[in-house]
């Protein structure tokens, strides 16, 4: 379960930003998680809830997760297509020389503090 490491890294980053901005409390963190990032959102939320109870600045902080769809590009024909249903092979021309445009991200989008 690599979600534990992801949560520790996110929590450290959020704490740093909160302290730099003079925050007394972090109320909500919104993450963007790519569809094929290998991070499982409900595990991430469970680990976040466990960890945030142990960090005074984060205690009671809600974690919201927004999913970024995986999108692949085919340079041979210029098609952009949804990755998950199609995979690596371009549905338009059959090329396998494709690459991922979006969907592998793990980003902190927003931090709500007081």
């Amino acid at each position: 379960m690599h979600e534990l490491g992801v949560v520790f890294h996110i929590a450290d980053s959020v704490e740093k930003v909160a302290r730099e901005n003079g925050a007394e409390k972090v109320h909500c963190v919104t993450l963007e998680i790519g569809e094929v990032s290998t991070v499982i959102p409900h595990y991430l939320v469970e680990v976040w809830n466990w960890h945030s109870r142990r960090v005074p600045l984060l205690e009671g902080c809600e974690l919201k997760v927004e999913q970024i769809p995986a999108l692949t590009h085919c340079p041979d024909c210029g098609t952009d297509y949804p990755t998950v249903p199609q995979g690596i092979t371009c549905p338009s021309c059959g090329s396998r020389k494709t690459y991922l445009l979006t969907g592998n991200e793990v980003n902190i989008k927003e931090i709500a503090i007081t």
Side-chain angles (χ1 to χ4, degrees):
M1 174 191 278
H2 67 281
E3 283 77 10
L4 183 62
V6 172
V7 163
F8 285 171
H9 178 72
I10 291 167
D12 288 347
S13 298
V14 167
E15 283 184 88
K16 181 180 177 191
V17 169
R19 290 190 200 302
E20 287 172 353
N21 287 279
E24 295 178 17
K25 189 82 177 146
V26 179
H27 297 281
C28 183
V29 174
T30 303
L31 299 180
E32 296 174 318
I33 305 290
E35 185 178 21
V36 295
S37 68
T38 73
V39 174
I40 302 170
H42 72 272
Y43 288 158
L44 194 71
V45 171
E46 285 179 25
V47 174
W48 177 267
N49 291 339
W50 168 81
H51 181 64
S52 65
R53 287 193 299 267
R54 288 151 180 77
V55 180
L57 189 63
L58 301 177
E59 190 172 359
C61 179
E62 179 184 7
L63 181 68
K64 294 180 182 178
V65 176
E66 297 177 358
Q67 189 174 62
I68 298 173
L71 189 64
T72 296
H73 177 74
C74 176
D76 287 349
C77 71
T79 299
D80 294 340
Y81 63 91
T83 306
V84 173
Q86 300 298 326
I88 194 170
T89 304
C90 176
S92 296
C93 72
S95 174
R96 294 179 58 87
K97 298 176 186 172
T98 59
Y99 59 89
L100 195 63
L101 291 173
T102 63
N104 198 30
E105 304 86 349
V106 178
N107 300 321
I108 299 171
K109 179 180 179 183
E110 185 175 58
I111 303 169
I113 60 173
T114 54

